[in-house]
Every structure is written in C-alpha cells, then in structure tokens.
Amino acid sequence: MEQMFIRPIIPMESIGNIGSEKKVTTGQDGSSVFRDIFKEAIQNVKTTDEDLTVQEYLLSTGQIDDAHTVPAAAAKAQLSVELLTSLRNKALESYNEIIRIGV
C-alpha cells in the first residue's frame, strides 16, 4: 500500500500552557510567548498548505487511491488559516482596547 502523506495538525502547546502557568510573564518573556504562539500558528498554516498541495498533485496525477483525503487536507488548511486570522484579530482587538484605556 502507498505511504500516506497526511500529517496530523500539531496541537499548539504554548496556548494550552499559558493558563496553567502561575507566573506572570512580562517584558521579553511575555513577548517571546506571544511570538511563539504566532510562529506556531504560521508554521501550522505552512504545513497544512504543503500537505494540501501534495494531495492535490497526487490526485491530479492519479496516484491517490482515496479521493476523500484531498477535501480533508483542504479543510485542515482552511481551519489553520482561520485560526491564524482569529489570533490576529484578537491581538488587534486587545491592542486597540489597551490603547483606548490608556488615553
């Protein structure tokens, strides 16, 4: 049987660990956690998009046995983009709220 190219979406461990930590991160530590969350989300978008490209290529060349893997890969790619967009929107909303409070 042909080896599958489907890779599972990697859970974003840094988001799950934020609530469980008891210490408050400030300064460089806080910005590195924030940066890591976005880096992980961006990497997830890249990975799922690469997987979708491979699945589409295999389907178009007739090398794939089950065509349902292409829509599944497309859904994963779409969800990862939506997650990144939601993270960005929430970050912008938070920034605007902080700026509004400070004025």
Side-chain angles (χ1 to χ4, degrees):
M1 178 152 206
E2 186 177 322
Q3 181 181 7
M4 301 296 283
F5 289 99
I6 296 177
R7 290 176 286 218
I9 295 178
I10 301 168
M12 299 179 71
E13 294 176 12
S14 42
I15 289 178
N17 293 337
I18 289 175
S20 64
E21 294 178 4
K22 299 296 182 193
K23 66 178 185 173
V24 176
T25 55
T26 59
Q28 292 297 329
D29 292 337
S31 65
S32 67
V33 170
F34 188 73
R35 182 179 57 234
D36 290 344
I37 290 171
F38 274 94
K39 278 186 176 182
E40 210 169 315
I42 290 168
Q43 185 60 41
N44 197 7
V45 168
K46 289 178 182 179
T47 303
T48 56
D49 186 53
E50 290 170 1
D51 183 42
L52 177 59
T53 302
V54 167
Q55 294 298 324
E56 288 174 339
Y57 173 77
L58 291 174
L59 181 66
S60 65
T61 58
Q63 299 178 27
I64 197 166
D65 294 332
D66 47 351
H68 73 278
T69 58
V70 177
K76 285 181 184 179
Q78 182 180 1
L79 284 173
S80 64
V81 169
E82 289 174 3
L83 174 66
L84 180 61
T85 304
S86 295
L87 286 172
R88 182 207 60 188
N89 291 343
K90 288 296 181 181
L92 286 174
E93 287 174 17
S94 300
Y95 174 78
N96 288 332
E97 186 68 20
I98 291 170
I99 295 300
R100 188 183 66 79
I101 290 172
V103 173

